[in-house]
């Protein structure tokens, strides 16, 4: 274990591109990094075994293993991959995707009792999480349950979710992104009677669309994080894969289809739209079907989010095609990174497929004319909404404060640490909680922090004491603007600065951190501005409702490029929070006690520590 730790520290320093000298005068910095390293204090538990009194309806072995697959023409690509072997239950439970590195599709029925035996055939620790499922804490794939190579971890749970599309993927401490990137991920569907009654398109008319981006070298091998900036912004490939395949095409008949879309990228955000301007008809999101279809000009889809799309090709001619694209938008990346990604400005790698540019995702070709098609239902199943008055804390939302800095992405001012539960992270079981996700830095943070009551603001700045450049967050706009302009004179957002401003007001740690960094960057600050970006915030456990979203004035131009792409009329487990945005949610914490994570589903951010636990008790 200590080997692993040292290795990851060395790698971290080497990749940071900042150099050791820069770190020398920065104790706060080093302490912050401590929070990102190793498995600190994470207990090593004996893997759970099958229990005699659990009588599964469905049982399968799930293998995490290394493998090679053909993705691009030529040489095969080394990947990590899930494979499953059904031992009990309906044979439709496991559906392989031939030739893909993606894990098999898993189909479960609400009410089924499921046993999954996870076999770690990798050369490193892993654990699997059922993203979207409401399962007991010890079945949720918390990093504390990682198993070593050769070990088997037994999961047993009853399917309590309503029908919907979920994800299974690894969740080992600080290695989630890399394992997902290497190929470990799959779609898990829950079905129920409400869904069946609607007779939505199924079988060959229901198509999973798992969208991911990858970067390959000349030998067709995957390239991953090349430097600190790849972690700060998240890692972006320049090839779009759907279900594991490049240039994905589907042949369709001229009728309605149900597309089950999942963004399985580690960081890339999509703005999905049809190339001919046909609106997108959405019938479901993360937590299953909406109450009625929504028709949108485009839909935003961040990592971890899902969409249930009604795609009707009726009336289209044989030989015609429709392309789903990612349409242009701006504002999800720090302004500077946005420019560098397109133009290439030293520190950042140029990307042929900048985030927010216009590019194809997949093509549907009409190859068969048919006269009959199912009709889009106008009513879908009812959702059990909770009013704010039903929450345990209508006046005091649980804060989820996002803070961004050059070396750390934090939630509520703290990097992930096992057993580091703050007061406001203790949640009483069987309560419904009002929560507020907001940016805890810059001019905008102030009012949100105030809104979240005592815990928000104080705990955050307290927590940032050791963070060096994370300081500087609660400064006036004037200060920040000065810094932002000084720095390369870019970024209309003026939100910037952070760091140098932070020195004036920070404690000693921050001072040294700020100066060190300022000198090192040789650009007089500007980190806050540099880092303000969008984060897909994911909460484990039950699905939540989105109560309200609001965005501050300076961000409005960018926000206008995405605003119509959000869907609030369904249950969610992941929500994209744009720069300057504040999102209120209502989330139940029923049935299960224990640790449930909340984190950024930009998986590079998650692995940098942008993750915390709620202790439900
Ligand atoms: Cu899909 Cu904790 O994550
Ligand atoms: Cu999850
Ligand atoms: Cu993030």
């Amino acid at each position: 274990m200590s080997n692993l730790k040292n290795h990851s520290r060395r790698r971290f320093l080497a990749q940071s591109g900042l150099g050791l000298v820069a770190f020398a005068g920065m104790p706060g910095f080093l302490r912050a990094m401590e929070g990102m390293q190793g498995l600190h204090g994470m207990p090593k538990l004996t893997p759970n075994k099958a229990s005699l009194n659990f009588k599964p309806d469905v049982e399968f072995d799930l293998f995490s293993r290394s493998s090679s697959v053909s993705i691009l023409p030529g040489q095969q690509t080394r990947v990590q991959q899930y494979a499953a072997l059904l031992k009990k239950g309906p044979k439709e439970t496991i559906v392989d995707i031939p030739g893909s590195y993606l894990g098999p599709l898993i189909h479960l029925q609400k009410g089924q009792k499921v046993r999954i035996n996870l076999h770690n055939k990798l050369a490193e620790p892993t654990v699997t999480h059922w993203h979207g499922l409401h399962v007991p804490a010890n079945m949720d794939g918390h990093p504390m349950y990682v198993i070593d190579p050769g070990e088997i971890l037994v999961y047993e749970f009853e399917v309590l979710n309503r029908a919907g599309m979920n994800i299974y993927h690894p969740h080992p401490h600080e290695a989630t992104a890399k394992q997902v990137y290497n190929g470990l991920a799959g779609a898990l569907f829950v079905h129920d009677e409400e869904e069946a009654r609607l007779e939505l398109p199924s079988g060959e008319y229901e198509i999973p669309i798992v969208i991911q981006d990858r970067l390959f070298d000349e030998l067709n091998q995957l390239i991953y994080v090349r430097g600190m900036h790849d972690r700060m912004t998240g890692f972006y490939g320049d090839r779009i894969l759907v279900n594991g395949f490049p240039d994905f095409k589907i042949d369709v008949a001229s009728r309605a289809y149900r597309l089950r879309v999942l963004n399985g990228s580690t960081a890339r955000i999509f703005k999905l739209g049809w190339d001919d301007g046909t609106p997108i008809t959405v019938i479901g999101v993360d937590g299953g079907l909406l109450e009625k279809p929504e028709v949108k000009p485009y839909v935003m889809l961040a990592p971890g989010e899902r969409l249930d799309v009604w795609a009707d090709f009726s009336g289209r001619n044989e030989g015609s095609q429709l392309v789903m694209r990612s349409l242009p938008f701006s504002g999800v990346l720090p302004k500077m990174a946005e420019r560098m990604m397109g133009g290439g400005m030293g520190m950042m790698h140029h990307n042929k497929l900048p985030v927010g540019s216009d590019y194809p995702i997949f093509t549907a070709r009409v190859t068969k004319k048919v006269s009959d098609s199912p009709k889009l239902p106008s009513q879908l199943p009812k959702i059990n909404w909770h009013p704010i008055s039903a929450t345990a804390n209508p006046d005091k939302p649980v804060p989820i404060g996002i803070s961004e800095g050059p070396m750390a992405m934090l939630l509520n001012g703290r990097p992930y640490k096992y057993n580091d539960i703050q007061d406001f992270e203790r949640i009483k079981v069987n309560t419904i909680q009002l929560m507020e996700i907001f940016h805890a830095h810059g001019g905008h943070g102030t009012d949100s922090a105030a809104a979240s009551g005592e815990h928000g603001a104080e705990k955050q700045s307290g927590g940032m004491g050791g963070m060096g450049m994370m300081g500087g967050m609660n400064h006036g706009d004037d200060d920040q603007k000065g810094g932002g302009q000084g720095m390369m004179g870019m970024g209309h957002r003026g939100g910037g600065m952070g760091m140098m401003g932070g020195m004036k007001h920070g404690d000693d740690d921050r001072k040294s951190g700020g100066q060190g960094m300022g000198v090192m960057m040789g650009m007089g600050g500007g980190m806050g501005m540099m880092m303000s970006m969008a984060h897909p915030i994911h909460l484990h456990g039950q699905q939540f409702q989105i109560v309200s979203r609001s965005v501050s004035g300076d961000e409005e131009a960018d926000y206008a490029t995405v605003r119509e792409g959000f869907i609030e009329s369904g249950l969610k487990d992941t929500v994209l929070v744009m720069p300057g945005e504040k999102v209120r949610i209502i989330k139940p914490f029923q049935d299960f006690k224990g640790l449930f994570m909340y984190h950024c589903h930009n998986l590079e951010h998650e692995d940098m520590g942008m993750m915390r636990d709620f202790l439900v008790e």
Side-chain angles (χ1 to χ4, degrees), residues 129 131 169 171 538 540 597 599 601 606:
H129 164 57
H131 176 137
H169 67 72
H171 224 302
H538 168 55
H540 284 218
M597 292 170 274
H599 60 85
H601 220 279
E606 175 190 330

Side-chain angles (χ1 to χ4, degrees), residues 535 600 602 605 610:
H535 302 271
C600 184
N602 176 316
H605 290 179
M610 199 170 196

Side-chain angles (χ1 to χ4, degrees), residues 246-266:
D247 309 314
F248 190 71
K249 293 187 173 57
I250 47 174
D251 290 344
V252 298
S254 59
R255 54 159 282 154
Y257 280 72
R258 185 180 182 195
L259 306 180
R260 312 296 301 269
V261 188
L262 153 62
N263 183 350
S265 310
T266 63

